[in-house]
Amino acid sequence: MSSRQPCSTVFVGNIFYEVTEDMLKNVLSEVGPVKSLRLVFDRDTGKPKGFGFCEFYDVMTAESAVRNINGRELSG
């Protein structure tokens, strides 16, 4: 049994550097409305680190995103 609490925020990893926030938001919006999306950038170079976080409005949509989008290739 998992002790992990349900969460509406999903970690998004292995993002190619040329993928924009808009491109990613379009894909994630396929499962439901996105509340916020934040890509992480290197503080010194300003280059993307290849991961980010997407917050959905509810836990069920976040879980659906993990089930339905996990492993999908967006660009590359």
Side-chain angles (χ1 to χ4, degrees), residues 4-75:
R4 194 180 84 193
Q5 294 292 320
C7 182
S8 62
T9 302
V10 175
F11 171 81
V12 183
N14 297 323
I15 302 170
F16 289 103
Y17 295 122
E18 64 271 5
V19 172
T20 66
E21 196 169 298
D22 287 337
M23 291 167 67
L24 192 55
K25 190 171 185 177
N26 285 337
V27 170
L28 293 166
S29 293
E30 291 176 12
V31 294
V34 172
K35 185 174 183 180
S36 67
L37 177 65
R38 183 174 68 92
L39 297 180
V40 178
F41 293 87
D42 184 276
R43 169 180 333 163
D44 296 327
T45 65
K47 293 182 180 181
K49 287 193 163 194
F51 69 93
F53 300 91
C54 179
E55 182 181 9
F56 292 94
Y57 284 95
D58 58 71
V59 172
M60 288 178 61
T61 305
E63 290 173 347
S64 177
V66 171
R67 281 192 312 273
N68 295 301
I69 298 179
N70 189 29
R72 183 188 293 185
E73 190 170 309
L74 177 60
S75 179

